[in-house]
Amino acid sequence: MKKLFIFLGCAILIAYSSCTPTSKINQTQTGIDSYGKAKLFTAAYQQKAAEYRALCYQAYNIAQWQLENLLKNRSSKPAAIMTDIDETVLDNSPYQVHQSLLGKDFDNATWHEWTARADADTVPGALHFFQYAASLGVEIFYVTNRDMAEKQATLDNLKRYGFPYADNAHLKLKSTTSSKIPRRDSIMMTHQLIMQVGDNLNDLNGGFEKKNIEQRFELANQLKNEFGTSLIVIPNPSYGEWENAMFNYKFNLTPAQKDSVLQSILRSY
């Protein structure tokens, strides 16, 4: 077993070095440290791990199985599903790789350049599930924190693959707030919201917003019976509210500072 751990450790180090070619990276940039390399590694998992693909299929298979049961309790309102887009419907890992190779993290300008390409691939299982839901008469609302300026490119990307209800009426972008509570409430005024899908727990329940790690754990425990029924979670190891909570919502930390935080909060022995 000890030899196995040594082998795995060496393999990870080799993988990190192979993911960060020195011809593309200025090693003196603050972004290329262990935190920047970790971002590359999570993108590698999203792009190259069959396990990631299997988890996505598993989530959407469960969603499909549950959908028929949920439709048995239909109200007079039309049935609807509310879904996030990024890392739930569309795969943006190429953007993560691009930024990491430049020693950078997320920023609005480069993100808008990426989404303008309308070139994101689909998350495994997403297209089949939403097309199936639409075939049962369920409307799909895409509730995303993309900006209004990204509207047409987002629609183009969804239409490129044939996602149902990819239109102005069913695309709810961020306007005045990143909270999805007002947009969720507006959908519920006219529709019976039977299922929500997202990679971020904020997508599914507003109670997770701006909460610390312990509070998020507590609420997840309270909702445990709803996950896999009306709440479907898609894996996203690269970013999300879980990451923001670790850094106490301090968005201006340097990669070195983030490394320090991680070393102080992660459990070892």
Side-chain angles (χ1 to χ4, degrees), residues 26 51 92 106:
N26 179 356
E51 287 79 0
N92 299 286
F106 174 91

Side-chain angles (χ1 to χ4, degrees), residues 213 246 258-269:
I213 294 171
M246 286 197 304
K258 290 180 179 181
D259 280 345
S260 180
V261 171
L262 289 176
Q263 291 178 38
S264 70
I265 67 173
L266 293 180
R267 185 174 60 189
S268 184
Y269 65 93

Side-chain angles (χ1 to χ4, degrees), residues 134-173:
S135 75
L136 297 180
V138 180
E139 292 186 42
I140 314 300
F141 285 90
Y142 302 92
V143 181
T144 173
N145 279 336
R146 292 188 176 196
D147 296 331
M148 289 295 182
E150 301 171 86
K151 183 177 184 179
Q152 189 56 54
T154 301
L155 288 173
D156 290 344
N157 207 155
L158 293 172
K159 290 177 180 178
R160 173 180 178 181
Y161 296 104
F163 277 97
Y165 294 99
D167 54 43
N168 290 328
H170 292 83
L171 177 61
K172 307 289 186 181
L173 298 111

Side-chain angles (χ1 to χ4, degrees), residues 33-183:
D33 54 11
S34 59
Y35 185 75
K37 291 177 181 178
K39 288 286 187 174
L40 275 176
F41 212 58
T42 57
Y45 179 77
Q46 194 168 340
Q47 291 186 6
K48 302 302 180 183
E51 287 79 0
Y52 166 77
R53 184 168 291 263
L55 285 170
C56 294
Y57 284 136
Q58 177 175 266
Y60 278 116
N61 283 343
I62 291 171
Q64 183 166 323
W65 297 334
Q66 291 292 352
L67 186 59
E68 294 181 7
N69 291 327
L70 294 169
L71 285 172
K72 293 176 182 178
N73 298 312
R74 300 183 78 156
S75 71
S76 58
K77 295 180 179 179
I81 295 173
M82 171 176 159
T83 181
D84 178 52
I85 291 181
D86 297 310
E87 275 48 72
T88 300
V89 170
L90 296 178
D91 173 4
N92 299 286
S93 58
Y95 172 78
Q96 187 71 59
V97 174
H98 178 269
Q99 290 297 96
S100 295
L101 290 176
L102 293 175
K104 299 177 181 179
D105 205 341
F106 174 91
D107 68 74
N108 278 320
T110 56
W111 171 255
H112 285 180
E113 290 174 1
W114 160 248
T115 58
R117 298 166 64 97
D119 196 33
D121 203 348
T122 62
V123 168
L127 180 60
H128 173 80
F129 169 71
F130 289 112
Q131 288 180 335
Y132 174 75
S135 75
L136 297 180
V138 180
E139 292 186 42
I140 314 300
F141 285 90
Y142 302 92
V143 181
T144 173
N145 279 336
R146 292 188 176 196
D147 296 331
M148 289 295 182
E150 301 171 86
K151 183 177 184 179
Q152 189 56 54
T154 301
L155 288 173
D156 290 344
N157 207 155
L158 293 172
K159 290 177 180 178
R160 173 180 178 181
Y161 296 104
F163 277 97
Y165 294 99
D167 54 43
N168 290 328
H170 292 83
L171 177 61
K172 307 289 186 181
L173 298 111
K174 181 177 69 174
S175 54
T176 58
T177 175
S178 61
S179 174
K180 295 187 175 181
I181 295 174
R183 285 170 283 175

